[in-house]
């Protein structure tokens, strides 16, 4: 509430945009960087050891694709997560940066070396023409694989922290934030998932570089057989490990959340996701298993399109995983510390007693009156609801109340008021309403007004800001002096 | 004390209630240093993309320029990757030190800020396409297409810095925020356009100096640049650097004298003019180099780089001194408001501790959890109490069981959420109250 609200009404605040950028980033990072670099380095090493120029050549061509994609879309979506969260949840990313500065700082140094190494590795590949140079070149690939994994290993700490800050809630210490309870299982899950999808990616990409022009000399066929046989092993081993770590992870979450959350319902909400996730996980792992076993013994029978099945299921699984992770975290953006609408846990009662408008920075009025009720309600909506809800669009409040009270009937304002004040009890993924009674009434008035007018709500990027003068209260000596 | 003019129209937000991870002064020093490293690679990326286009254009008549353009293009794709990755450090620091101003500026220009991601991605993909199709798209209409590709990448690289500049500029002037209506209107605040000219000129001068060194290295392989000698290449890029640096003596004062007065201090003038004096010295050494014979050209390259570093450090510190002066009153006001809010909050919490613990909620209070959906006689969201009382007459346990894990019975109504978190005892109280209320006529 202390930042101007960037707001896109039709896409429900902006979670969707953060989600799209972040998912695209993960889909590039996991298979193409974390997963593929070690596999490609292995190919280069093996080719050197056995004098197989064709394997080296194939590894180089696939690295070209990885190089282009990771240094453009991969790098920019990584920065994009930051740019988009800075628009939609500046309070959250701002807080995370203060908690995780050292993690991010080290990650930055690792990332610099990753970028330098990928450029060095790819651009010097053809120049490594002696045994000495080749050995050095392979070592660059190895270093790159390690750095690439490390960037993920550092960032996963932040993801686990946002769901379950662990000891940090008491100590506020960086180290406790890094070693949050969900860290290791999630890291293991992501590592092997990356290797598994990375192997399928390399396998898929190899189809395009192993086509035989001369059918009487099936060199491409032979090369592909060599590769697929080995990749099948990678898929099989990673599959088992993904399953083990995935289980550890998923069985950890509810216990931890139950123990620390007064709202036991959250785990029940989670159980619904859990069963869907479990069946999807089962089908996806099954698809990887079938492909891997086929690759071990009769790889020539595996058509190119068949690889797309586990790949797409993997994408779906990962997307679902990220979504479930986000959902389970609700109503928090930082577990047990900061609600998703920027209200801190420890200031909730204060704001409910004093009023949200009184202490907000960007509002038109400080007090709700008969005359300004709808305008105040709109500001309340922007402050308390707009990070997740749109007005009439996706995840819109009109749609939500329509589901409850019926689209064709009048909505009972006193019922709405009761609902808003107790919604965190009935919908435990919602944060408690952070204002006083008059402000809740203003919100109801705005929603009723919105229902008839269906006026789209504009963000600060379009209509600018209002900053009503601060009242001379305890919170604000500034104006008194 | 906060000047009254500032309070009249300046939003004073509260800061985040978490401490900075490093001393503020250290973060600011790191910000200036990291930013200069980042901007160096940005300069080389932007300036490089311009010089590629110019050289390729010259190459349409004289082949040797085309090979030179290709050689420069190869540096751009490397520098662009470093520009991105080096940008994270300063972004980290600016986020921490100027959290309130920086994110506010981002939000006010939000669409453009978000567009950075796709625009930069496209620009990067275009530079790769340009580089890797050089030999294949070498003749006729394909060459025109190839050149157009280079121009498209350049135009993107010329536009994107404007978004960053608008933000860096806007964060300095909180008192102007209420006037801003998106990115384009933010360009009218402060002196964005003189800053932009200054930045563009610096980009080309830096790239010239970099290329003079890059092609001037004894170890550099010039076999793919037929028609050029090493001294000639050095001279070309020295000339670019010298001419543009000369132009900076026009853009620099334009930038300085159009800066809004809010952050101008004598200290700033001292830094900027010392920087300009070193710039003048650099120009003189450059002129000496340009006059040197083929054998001797390049001898002062190290000196020129060192002098340029001093100029850049001067300008970077000048920027920082201006920012500090411009934002000082706002930062102080934020701090004051943050502290008094924290004090009011602490006082409130202290008062809460003294209060007796709330009594166990009675049945009527507990029923508020249900009242939003269940009214006595009318259907709100779920069935009215009269109907519930009929179904569960004499069976409050049935209501409890249902509320613990509701299912979906009525297709026309939304499914009820579970209420297990209220606990069986409370649910039992609610159930009895419901049956009683539902009985009443």
């Amino acid at each position: 509430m202390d930042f101007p609200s960037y707001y896109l009404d039709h896409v429900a605040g902006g979670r969707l945009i953060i989600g799209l950028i972040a998912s695209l980033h993960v889909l590039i990072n996991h298979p193409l960087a974390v997963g593929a670099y070690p596999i490609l380095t292995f190919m280069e090493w093996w080719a050197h050891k056995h004098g197989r120029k064709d394997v080296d050549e194939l590894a180089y061509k696939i690295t070209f694709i990885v190089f282009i994609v990771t240094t453009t879309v991969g790098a920019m979506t990584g920065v994009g997560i930051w740019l988009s969260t800075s628009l939609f949840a500046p309070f959250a990313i701002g807080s995370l940066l203060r908690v995780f500065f050292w993690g991010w700082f080290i990650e930055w140094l690792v990332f610099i070396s990753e970028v330098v190494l990928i450029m060095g590795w790819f651009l010097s590949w053809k120049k490594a023409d002696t045994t000495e140079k080749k050995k050095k070149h392979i070592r660059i690939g190895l270093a790159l694989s390690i750095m690439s994994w490390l960037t993920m290993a550092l960032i996963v700490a932040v993801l686990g922290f946002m769901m379950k800050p662990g000891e940090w809630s008491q100590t506020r210490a960086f180290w406790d934030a890094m070693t949050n309870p969900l860290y290791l299982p999630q890291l293991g899950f992501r590592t092997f998932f990356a290797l598994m999808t990375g192997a399928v990616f390399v396998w898929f990409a190899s189809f395009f570089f192993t086509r035989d022009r001369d059918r009487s000399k099936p060199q491409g066929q032979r090369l592909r057989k060599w590769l697929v046989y080995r990749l099948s092993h990678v898929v099989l081993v990673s599959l088992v490990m993904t399953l083990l770590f995935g289980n550890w992870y998923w069985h950890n979450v509810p216990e931890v959340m139950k123990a620390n959350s007064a709202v036991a319902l959250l785990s029940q909400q989670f159980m619904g996701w859990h069963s869907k996730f479990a069946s999807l996980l089962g089908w996806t792992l099954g698809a990887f298993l079938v492909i891997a076993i086929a690759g071990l013994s009769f790889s020539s029978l595996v058509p190119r399109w068949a690889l797309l099945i586990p790949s797409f299921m993997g994408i779906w699984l990962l997307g679902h995983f990220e979504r479930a992770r986000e959902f389970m975290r609700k109503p928090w953006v930082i577990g047990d510390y900061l609600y998703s609408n920027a209200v801190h846990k420890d200031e909730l009662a204060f704001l409910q007693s004093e009023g949200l408008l009184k202490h907000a920075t960007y509002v038109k009025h400080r007090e709700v009156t008969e005359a300004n009720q709808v305008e105040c309600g709109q500001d309340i909506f922007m402050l308390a609801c707009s990070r997740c809800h749109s007005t009439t669009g996706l995840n819109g409040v009109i749609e939500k109340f329509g589901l409850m009270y019926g689209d064709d009937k009048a909505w009972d304002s006193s019922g709405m008021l009761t609902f808003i004040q107790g919604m965190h009890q009935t919908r435990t993924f919602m944060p408690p309403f952070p204002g006083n009674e008059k402000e809740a009434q203003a919100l109801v008035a705005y929603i009723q007004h919105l229902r008839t007018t269906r006026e789209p709500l504009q963000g600060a990027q379009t209509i600018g800001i209002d900053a009503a003068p601060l009242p001379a209260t305890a919170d604000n000596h500034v104006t008194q002096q | 004390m906060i000047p009254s003019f500032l309070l009249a129209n300046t939003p004073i937000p509260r800061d985040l209630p978490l401490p900075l991870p490093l001393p503020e002064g250290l973060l600011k020093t790191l910000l200036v240093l990291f930013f200069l490293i980042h901007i160096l690679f940005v300069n080389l990326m932007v300036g490089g993309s311009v010089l590629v286009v110019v050289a390729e254009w010259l190459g349409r008549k004289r082949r040797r320029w085309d090979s030179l353009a290709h050689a420069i293009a190869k540096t751009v794709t490397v520098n662009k990757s470093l520009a991105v990755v080096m940008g994270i450090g300063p972004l980290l620091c600016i986020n921490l030190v100027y959290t309130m101003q920086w994110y506010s500026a981002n939000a006010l220009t939000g669409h453009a800020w978000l567009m950075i991601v796709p625009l930069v991605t496209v620009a990067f993909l275009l530079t790769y396409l340009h580089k890797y199709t050089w030999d294949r798209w070498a003749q006729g209409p394909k060459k025109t297409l190839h050149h157009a590709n280079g121009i498209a990448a350049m135009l993107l690289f010329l536009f994107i810095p404007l978004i960053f500049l608008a933000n860096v500029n806007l964060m300095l002037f909180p008192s102007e925020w209420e006037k801003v209506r998106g990115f384009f209107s933010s360009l009218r605040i402060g002196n964005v356009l003189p800053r932009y000219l200054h930045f563009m000129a610096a980009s080309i001068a830096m790239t010239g100096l970099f290329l003079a060194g890059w092609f001037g290295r004894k170890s550099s392989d010039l076999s793919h640049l037929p028609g050029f000698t090493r001294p000639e290449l050095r001279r070309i890029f020295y000339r670019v650097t010298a001419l543009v640096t000369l132009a900076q003596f026009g853009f620099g004062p334009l930038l300085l004298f159009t800066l809004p007065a809010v952050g101008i201090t004598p200290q700033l003038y001292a830094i900027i003019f010392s920087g300009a004096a070193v710039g003048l010295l650099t120009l003189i050494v450059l002129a000496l180099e340009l006059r040197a014979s083929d054998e001797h050209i390049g001898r002062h390259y190290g000196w020129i780089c060192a002098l340029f570093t001093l100029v850049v450090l001067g300008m970077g510190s000048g920027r920082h001194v201006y920012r500090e002066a411009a934002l000082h009153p706002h930062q102080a006001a934020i701090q004051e408001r943050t502290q008094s809010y924290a004090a009011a909050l602490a006082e409130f919490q202290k008062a809460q501790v003294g209060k007796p613990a709330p009594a166990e909620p009675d049945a009527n209070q507990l029923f508020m959890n249900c009242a939003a959906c269940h009214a006595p006689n009318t259907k709100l969201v779920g069935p009215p109490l009269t109907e519930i009382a009929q179904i569960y007459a004499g069976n409050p346990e049935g209501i409890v069981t249902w509320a613990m894990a509701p299912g979906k019975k009525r297709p026309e109504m939304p499914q009820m959420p579970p209420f297990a978190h209220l606990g069986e005892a409370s649910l039992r109280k609610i159930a009895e109250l419901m049956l009683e209320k539902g009985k009443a006529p």
Side-chain angles (χ1 to χ4, degrees):
Chain A
M1 63 183 125
D2 290 290
F3 298 100
S5 300
Y6 177 76
Y7 181 62
L8 299 174
D9 200 9
H10 40 287
V11 293
R15 291 180 310 159
L16 191 66
I17 289 180
I18 301 177
L20 285 176
I21 296 177
S23 300
L24 189 58
H25 182 70
V26 169
L27 289 175
I28 290 169
N29 172 282
H30 284 15
L32 267 67
V34 179
Y37 288 146
I39 294 171
L40 292 165
T41 308
F42 164 77
M43 285 170 74
E44 192 193 11
W45 170 81
W46 199 89
H48 176 66
K49 198 179 163 199
H50 295 90
R52 284 282 294 269
K53 269 227 143 27
D54 56 339
V55 173
D56 187 270
E57 187 70 17
L58 179 62
Y60 175 74
K61 285 174 178 165
I62 297 173
T63 305
F64 175 71
I65 301 176
V66 175
F67 170 72
I68 298 284
V69 176
T70 52
T71 58
T72 56
V73 192
M76 283 316 296
T77 45
V79 178
I81 296 175
W82 197 349
L83 298 192
S84 56
T85 42
S86 84
L87 288 179
F88 297 114
F91 45 90
I93 191 76
S95 304
L96 285 173
L97 283 171
R98 291 186 185 200
V99 176
F100 275 101
F101 171 78
W102 287 110
W104 255 301
F105 187 77
I106 296 164
E107 200 256 347
W108 179 46
L109 301 183
V110 176
F111 184 38
I112 294 174
S113 42
E114 188 189 341
V115 169
V116 171
L117 287 167
I118 174 66
M119 287 192 300
W121 197 46
F122 175 69
L123 297 173
S124 69
W125 197 303
K126 293 284 173 186
K127 289 174 198 154
D129 46 9
T130 64
T131 303
E132 237 358 85
K133 283 189 191 166
K134 197 68 189 168
K135 277 188 178 162
K136 212 170 140 191
H137 192 258
I138 292 165
R139 278 202 289 272
I140 299 178
L142 191 65
L144 170 63
S145 307
I146 294 169
M147 289 304 172
S148 174
W149 180 81
L150 265 181
T151 53
M152 182 183 79
L154 286 161
I155 285 302
V156 166
V158 182
L159 298 180
F161 171 81
M162 287 169 80
M163 198 195 281
K164 180 60 222 152
E167 294 289 303
W168 181 86
S169 295
Q170 278 82 49
T171 62
R172 295 280 189 267
F174 164 70
W175 203 242
D176 288 327
M178 286 297 285
T179 55
N180 58 76
L182 294 178
Y183 181 56
L184 284 181
Q186 186 171 186
L187 180 61
F189 173 76
R190 284 181 189 268
T191 302
F192 288 102
F193 188 78
L195 272 172
M196 185 167 77
T197 48
V200 175
F201 162 75
V202 172
W203 185 343
F204 182 70
S206 72
F207 274 101
F208 297 91
F209 302 118
T210 53
R211 266 178 285 190
D212 286 314
R213 294 234 171 76
D214 182 355
R215 292 214 166 233
S216 62
K217 286 186 224 156
Q219 281 158 346
Q221 278 288 348
R222 208 176 311 137
L223 177 57
R224 196 184 303 167
K225 253 194 175 150
W226 175 91
L227 181 70
V228 167
Y229 181 73
R230 276 150 191 87
L231 289 177
S232 294
H233 285 84
V234 177
V235 174
L236 276 177
V237 173
S238 310
L239 185 74
V240 173
M241 298 305 281
T242 305
L243 195 65
L244 289 178
F245 274 106
N247 253 340
W248 184 21
Y249 185 32
W250 288 103
H251 284 282
N252 239 326
V253 175
E255 295 309 314
V256 173
M257 299 199 74
K258 263 183 219 154
N260 285 285
S261 171
V263 194
L265 184 67
L266 202 59
S267 61
Q268 287 196 13
Q269 279 290 344
F270 163 67
M271 291 312 285
W273 286 87
H274 187 198
S275 64
K276 277 186 213 166
F277 181 83
S279 67
L280 183 66
L281 185 73
W283 282 105
T284 308
L285 296 181
F288 277 108
L289 186 70
V290 168
I291 287 288
I293 290 173
L296 278 182
S297 35
F298 39 91
S299 67
S300 53
L301 293 180
V302 181
R304 197 185 319 170
W305 56 263
L307 291 173
L308 293 177
I309 296 174
S311 304
F312 282 129
M313 291 187 80
I315 289 172
W316 188 21
L317 173 75
L318 199 60
H320 194 88
F321 169 74
E322 303 294 352
R323 199 185 150 171
R325 197 172 54 72
E326 293 287 311
F327 187 87
M328 281 159 48
R329 200 175 66 208
K330 290 202 255 177
W332 306 104
V333 68
I334 299 177
D336 210 29
Y337 172 71
L338 185 64
Y339 288 111
S340 42
N341 55 10
V343 173
H344 290 87
K345 180 185 165 193
D346 62 1
E347 66 180 351
L348 178 70
F350 178 63
L351 293 176
Q352 284 172 336
S353 141
E354 297 242 317
L356 184 61
L357 295 176
K358 184 172 158 192
H359 296 285
T361 305
Y362 299 102
V363 289
K364 291 184 202 75
H365 311 283
R366 298 276 163 206
E367 280 272 0
V368 182
T369 63
E370 290 257 315
N372 69 19
Q373 207 184 23
V374 170
E375 278 192 340
C376 284
Q378 183 173 317
D379 278 342
I380 298 280
F381 177 85
M382 193 60 111
L383 293 172
C385 323
S386 74
R387 294 304 98 184
C388 302
H389 289 286
S390 75
T391 54
T392 56
L394 202 64
N395 203 25
V397 276
I398 297 301
E399 179 204 322
K400 294 293 167 200
F401 279 106
L403 278 175
M404 279 171 52
Y405 296 107
D407 285 322
D408 48 348
K409 286 180 285 184
W411 296 348
D412 177 52
S413 285
S414 64
M416 288 168 77
L417 183 70
T418 315
F419 173 75
I420 286 171
Q421 290 179 317
M423 70 196 161
H424 57 294
Q425 294 285 1
T426 57
R427 309 280 189 276
T428 43
F429 44 85
M430 299 277 287
F433 179 72
N436 61 26
E437 169 124 19
K438 267 188 159 180
E439 290 172 338
Q441 284 165 350
L443 180 60
V444 171
Y446 170 66
I447 293 170
Q448 295 281 24
H449 171 80
L450 186 68
R451 193 185 177 198
T452 41
T453 60
R454 303 187 86 82
E455 272 168 11
L457 181 59
Q458 309 270 12
Q461 79 279 9
T462 312
I463 52 162
I465 48 170
D466 287 292
L470 288 161
T473 60
D475 144 39
N476 176 33
H477 299 299
V478 177
T479 44
Q480 291 175 323
Q481 286 159 353
Chain B
M1 197 45 45
I2 317 305
S4 57
F5 76 89
L6 188 68
L7 291 170
N9 49 6
T10 305
I12 311 286
R14 282 180 278 128
D15 199 0
L16 305 173
L18 285 170
L20 289 177
L22 280 181
E24 202 176 320
L26 182 57
L27 271 174
K28 286 175 179 170
T29 313
L30 290 179
L31 171 61
V32 174
L33 283 179
F34 291 164
F35 176 74
L36 289 177
I37 298 171
H38 163 64
I39 206 70
L40 171 69
F41 289 107
V42 172
N43 283 334
L44 298 181
M45 167 182 89
V46 175
S49 76
V50 175
L51 294 184
V52 168
V53 166
V54 174
E56 192 177 7
W57 180 70
L58 292 172
R60 301 204 75 162
K61 288 202 177 119
R62 282 166 293 175
R63 283 297 304 168
R64 65 171 191 155
W65 286 95
D66 191 73
S67 339
L68 182 61
H70 192 184
I72 302 173
K74 286 178 185 167
T75 68
V76 175
T77 50
V78 173
N79 286 327
K80 69 106 182 92
S81 284
L82 291 171
V84 170
V85 68
M86 290 303 176
I88 291 170
L91 204 53
L92 197 55
C93 296
I94 204 168
N95 274 307
L96 287 167
V97 189
Y98 303 104
T99 314
M100 304 321 290
Q101 292 93 355
W102 178 244
Y103 285 140
S104 301
N106 294 171
L108 290 171
T109 60
H111 292 336
W113 187 244
L114 205 53
M115 282 307 288
I116 288 173
V117 182
L119 289 179
V120 176
T121 309
V122 171
F124 283 6
L125 287 168
L126 285 176
T127 56
Y128 278 133
L129 184 68
H130 194 226
K131 178 179 144 184
Y132 287 112
T133 53
W134 209 286
D135 296 326
R136 261 181 291 162
W137 296 2
Q139 302 298 331
K142 276 197 171 168
K143 184 65 184 170
T144 311
L145 182 68
H146 185 260
H147 201 188
N149 175 3
I151 293 173
M154 176 192 75
L155 290 176
L156 281 171
F157 281 133
L158 291 183
F159 175 69
I160 296 157
L162 207 52
I163 303 178
F164 282 97
L165 269 175
N167 273 270
V168 179
N169 181 67
L170 185 59
M171 69 171 274
L172 298 179
F173 310 112
S175 58
E176 305 286 311
W177 289 353
E178 275 189 288
K179 295 181 196 156
V180 180
R181 300 287 179 277
F183 168 66
F184 290 102
S185 89
S186 79
L187 297 179
R188 271 177 271 154
I189 306 288
N191 64 343
V192 181
L193 294 172
R195 273 167 177 256
Y196 180 72
L197 287 175
H198 192 64
F199 160 79
M200 284 314 303
S203 292
I204 294 180
M206 281 295 174
T207 312
L209 189 64
F210 162 69
L211 291 174
W214 183 249
F215 295 121
R217 287 173 305 152
K218 290 230 165 54
S219 59
S220 68
D221 175 19
L222 298 185
S223 60
H224 54 287
L225 291 176
F228 285 108
T229 64
R230 198 182 306 279
E232 190 184 4
L233 284 170
R234 274 198 177 127
R235 202 161 278 128
I236 290 169
F237 291 112
Y238 270 151
R239 199 165 289 142
V240 169
T241 309
L243 284 175
V244 181
T245 306
L246 197 62
Q248 286 289 47
F249 283 89
F251 297 137
L254 178 70
L255 165 61
L256 185 60
F257 298 129
T258 54
L259 269 179
V262 58
I264 304 268
T265 57
Q267 196 195 2
L268 175 74
Y269 272 105
I271 293 174
I272 298 280
F273 284 115
S274 323
V278 182
L280 196 64
L281 189 62
T282 319
L283 258 186
I284 295 167
V285 184
L286 263 170
L288 286 176
E289 278 277 89
L290 279 169
R291 280 159 172 249
S293 62
D294 278 5
E295 302 90 78
H296 292 132
I297 191 165
R299 279 205 305 192
H300 299 312
Y301 186 73
W303 273 109
I304 298 174
C305 289
L307 287 172
F308 249 106
T309 308
L310 283 181
V311 176
V312 169
L313 273 175
M315 298 302 160
S317 322
R319 267 169 62 101
H320 182 70
V321 166
Y322 181 82
R323 179 163 53 212
E324 281 298 286
L327 283 182
H328 176 70
H330 196 234
Q331 290 280 59
I334 289 176
Q335 209 181 356
E336 207 166 329
R337 182 161 177 234
T338 308
Q339 280 165 1
S340 46
Y341 179 79
L345 182 60
E347 208 171 303
F348 174 83
Q349 281 162 345
K350 219 168 98 188
Q352 293 305 103
V353 174
K355 280 186 189 165
E360 279 286 293
D362 64 26
N364 271 308
Q365 286 162 325
L366 283 168
F367 179 71
M368 290 312 282
N369 286 313
C370 320
C373 299
H374 300 285
N377 295 310
T378 50
K379 178 189 160 292
L380 282 180
V381 180
L385 298 184
T386 44
E387 211 177 311
I388 295 175
Q390 277 173 17
I391 301 170
Y392 290 101
N395 179 21
E397 273 314 311
I399 299 180
V400 175
T401 314
W402 172 262
M404 296 284 282
K408 184 157 171 73
K409 274 190 198 160
R410 307 176 196 219
E412 79 284 3
M413 284 181 193
Q415 185 173 340
M416 183 173 139
F419 279 82
H421 57 284
L422 292 184
E424 277 191 46
S426 298
L427 286 175
R428 173 90 200 203
K429 281 192 208 168
I430 296 174
E432 277 160 7
L433 184 78
M434 274 181 158
L435 292 181
E436 191 161 326
K437 282 194 177 185
K439 243 185 340 201

